[in-house]
Amino acid sequence: MANQKGGVAKTTSVASLGAAFAEQGKRVLLVDLDAQACLTFSLGVDPDEVESSVNEVLLGRAGIADVRVSCDDGVDLVPSVIDLAGAEAQLLPRPGREYVLRTALEDVRSEYDVILLDCSPSLGVLTLNALTASQGLIIPMPCEMLSHRGVGQLLDTVTDVQKILNKDLVVLGILPTMFDGRSNHAQEVLADVGERYGLPVLSPPIPKTVRFAEAPAVGRSILSTSRTSKGATAYREVAAALTKRLAKL
């Protein structure tokens, strides 16, 4: 799940889709690759109390099996901490730095049906690691015209990754988030985005609702805190559609 623009609901989407896949009976691992540790906090794990995290994994000091924790939503989490902000600089001089995460995930890949990576809002080494390790990319994007900015740059990066680092990477599509069905502007952006970039648009769009802001306060996803809300229902439908796509990868 990547988009170098912040505030596009990457973390909400990873947590919600992870919970939706878990509801399907799938074994799910979520990886927090953002030094702000929003996914970690959202799932009820205090980053200040984490002893080992994805930071240690990327620096070769621990394996994923050593740092993962189980969360109430039925998913496992590789937590993040603020120290991850320095990992990028430490990875830069390393040969094969783009493959570090991919190598680490190989040890546990067979234990999970779905692994979701929550990227930081940048196109740095950590996001390149995520793209190199992944089979599919989802680009969350609010239905606002300004959110188009940067998507083209991300897709240029994806093309480079496909040529050089990961020829099997597939763009699964754009996930419209924060959608206000009453807004003509949102409707126009939704209609434009797929045609503009020649990409699938995942359906249904994720509606704008205060329920998403309430969920992290109790360390759960919206699928637990507001099970019958429009937001929870939308993520379940997106997860169901993705299940069919992922089976073909």
Side-chain angles (χ1 to χ4, degrees):
M1 193 79 64
N3 187 331
Q4 75 270 31
K5 191 174 187 301
V8 299
K10 284 191 297 291
T11 297
T12 296
S13 296
V14 169
S16 302
L17 287 175
F21 285 128
E23 284 186 353
Q24 296 177 14
K26 296 187 182 302
R27 300 166 299 167
V28 180
L29 176 68
L30 309 183
V31 182
D32 191 346
L33 288 170
D34 189 350
Q36 297 177 71
C38 292
L39 179 63
T40 300
F41 178 81
S42 295
L43 293 178
V45 178
D46 186 345
D48 294 332
E49 296 181 2
V50 169
E51 294 183 4
S52 296
S53 69
V54 70
N55 183 61
E56 282 67 42
V57 172
L58 293 173
L59 298 180
R61 299 169 186 165
I64 285 181
D66 303 319
V67 307
R68 63 187 170 187
V69 295
S70 297
C71 300
D72 290 339
D73 275 337
V75 302
D76 287 348
L77 169 71
V78 177
S80 180
V81 293
I82 190 64
D83 293 346
L84 185 63
E88 198 141 355
Q90 295 184 62
L91 285 173
L92 278 174
R94 288 180 57 174
R97 56 186 176 270
E98 296 91 355
Y99 293 93
V100 172
L101 180 61
R102 180 173 180 166
T103 302
L105 285 171
E106 290 300 327
D107 293 337
V108 299
R109 202 180 285 269
S110 63
E111 299 179 36
Y112 296 99
D113 301 304
V114 179
I115 300 175
L116 295 174
L117 310 178
D118 184 18
C119 294
S120 61
S122 76
L123 290 179
V125 172
L126 297 183
T127 298
L128 285 177
N129 260 268
L131 294 174
T132 303
S134 296
Q135 293 173 291
L137 167 66
I138 298 170
I139 305 171
M141 197 193 83
C143 294
E144 302 166 353
M145 192 56 68
L146 285 177
S147 296
H148 279 309
R149 294 171 61 88
V151 172
Q153 186 182 0
L154 172 60
L155 293 175
D156 288 343
T157 299
V158 168
T159 299
D160 290 340
V161 168
Q162 290 168 327
K163 289 179 180 176
I164 303 168
L165 301 169
N166 182 7
K167 61 181 177 61
D168 297 322
L169 179 64
V170 175
V171 181
L172 294 171
I174 290 175
L175 176 61
T177 59
M178 306 179 196
F179 180 68
D180 183 355
R182 301 166 299 177
S183 163
N184 290 335
H185 177 66
Q187 298 277 8
E188 290 167 2
V189 171
L190 184 60
D192 172 69
V193 66
E195 182 178 344
R196 178 182 295 242
Y197 297 110
L199 294 174
V201 177
L202 303 179
S203 182
I206 308 302
K208 183 183 294 187
T209 169
V210 70
R211 300 299 180 198
F212 287 122
E214 295 170 351
V218 294
R220 303 290 293 272
S221 76
I222 192 174
L223 275 74
S224 296
T225 60
S226 188
R227 292 188 56 80
T228 59
S229 67
K230 291 181 179 180
T233 300
Y235 274 116
R236 287 191 185 96
E237 292 181 23
V238 171
L242 283 172
T243 296
K244 298 174 183 177
R245 294 282 307 279
L246 294 174
K248 298 177 182 178
L249 293 182

